[in-house]
Amino acid sequence: MNAVALGPFVFDASRLAAIVAVLLFLAVSKIAARTKRYAGHAGAVEAWAGWAILAWILGARLGFVLSHASDFAAAPLDALKLWQGGYSARAGWIAAGAVLAVAFLKGRGAVLRPLLVAAALTAMAHQAITAALPRPQMRLPVMELLALDGSPVQLAGRDRVTVINLWATWCPPCRREMPMMTSLAAEMPEVSFIFANQGEGADHILAFLAAGSLPPDGMLRDPRGHLMSRLRAVGLPSTLVFDATGALVAAQTGEISGPALRTMIDTAKDQG
């Protein structure tokens, strides 16, 4: 996977690139505003830079939510869970562009040039970071895990889209997303869902499932965490989606929303 661990914190590479891009945009805007040419507009440049960033984040999230309105209808407050992922870059740029248009219409044309320079440099930096952290070429491993009854289960050779969720009962985000995961698995029988528990015993897993009224379908044990190592995952939960040929298509480290996972699965279906 292309997650990055910084001390005790684990970031999905795409999220890390986005965070760096935001910080870079604000830094470049501030530096540009401090130059002699724009010194008289420094406060306005920094203020509009903040508004542009906020507009991009909210616009990108709103665009994603609206494009998956049926998924969010049952739980509209999930739209506020920004950490779960799910953004439309196009909608974000439209929203940010609207903010800059408002700045221009309000006679703030002097702030546009440093902001546009900052946006261009940020876009190039984001592309460079993304290119430096490409998703590795990976296939569904040929290895056996254990069913809850102790019988071996082979991962490879499924010939259909496969979702692997690495999880543990001690992991709060794993527990939060598991009801969504099992519900989605029931809705999509054409997709193979594998819930690979890391290092815990069958009795412990069954007790957790019973407490949450969750089905045991797809629950497997990885007693020594070998799968996590093979998939190069650096944190829990981690969700990986493979196409029907067994090639990795998409992955996310950290809690994921149902709509975001559906999007990853749809991508795998299109590519497989």
Side-chain angles (χ1 to χ4, degrees):
M1 294 179 65
N2 59 343
V4 178
L6 299 177
F9 302 103
V10 177
F11 297 92
D12 185 87
S14 61
R15 294 183 184 182
L16 179 62
I19 292 171
V20 172
V22 168
L23 295 177
L24 180 62
F25 177 78
L26 294 175
V28 173
S29 298
K30 187 169 186 175
I31 292 172
R34 300 299 176 183
T35 61
K36 184 176 180 180
R37 181 172 183 175
Y38 301 105
H41 305 282
V45 171
E46 293 178 26
W48 283 103
W51 283 114
I53 288 293
L54 181 61
W56 194 100
I57 294 172
L58 296 180
R61 182 60 173 173
L62 180 60
F64 180 82
V65 170
L66 292 178
S67 66
H68 296 81
S70 59
D71 290 317
F72 284 99
L77 291 181
D78 284 354
L80 302 178
K81 298 178 180 179
L82 305 183
W83 62 89
Q84 292 183 341
Y87 295 89
S88 168
R90 179 179 298 179
W93 285 115
I94 291 174
V99 166
L100 297 183
V102 170
F104 179 78
L105 292 175
K106 285 194 171 188
R108 297 287 186 173
V111 309
L112 291 183
R113 187 167 184 177
L115 291 181
L116 291 175
V117 170
L121 292 176
T122 299
M124 289 188 290
H126 184 271
Q127 289 182 346
I129 295 170
T130 302
L133 296 170
R135 194 168 305 284
Q137 299 296 314
M138 186 182 298
R139 300 193 64 79
L140 195 60
V142 178
M143 64 179 294
E144 291 183 343
L145 297 184
L146 299 177
L148 296 182
D149 63 5
S151 59
V153 178
Q154 175 58 243
L155 293 182
R158 294 173 179 268
D159 298 324
R160 57 177 172 163
V161 172
T162 300
V163 177
I164 292 183
N165 177 246
L166 302 171
W167 72 288
T169 63
W170 50 261
C171 162
C174 299
R175 296 198 299 268
R176 286 195 301 267
E177 71 180 10
M178 189 56 72
M180 175 277 293
M181 288 273 187
T182 55
S183 177
L184 193 58
E187 294 175 19
M188 308 180 76
E190 75 282 5
V191 176
S192 180
F193 279 78
I194 296 171
F195 304 104
N197 179 276
Q198 299 299 291
E200 297 179 301
D203 291 344
H204 196 74
I205 297 170
L206 287 169
F208 165 76
L209 296 176
S213 299
L214 300 173
D217 301 335
M219 296 291 168
L220 301 179
R221 293 177 54 233
D222 182 16
R224 299 181 182 276
H226 290 322
L227 181 58
M228 190 169 180
S229 176
R230 290 281 294 274
L231 296 177
R232 287 174 263 172
V234 295
L236 298 179
S238 289
T239 303
L240 303 91
V241 181
F242 297 81
D243 65 20
T245 70
L248 178 65
V249 172
Q252 179 168 314
T253 300
E255 189 175 355
I256 191 172
S257 69
L261 181 52
R262 283 182 186 273
T263 299
M264 291 164 62
I265 292 172
D266 290 340
T267 300
K269 288 180 177 179
D270 292 339
Q271 293 187 15

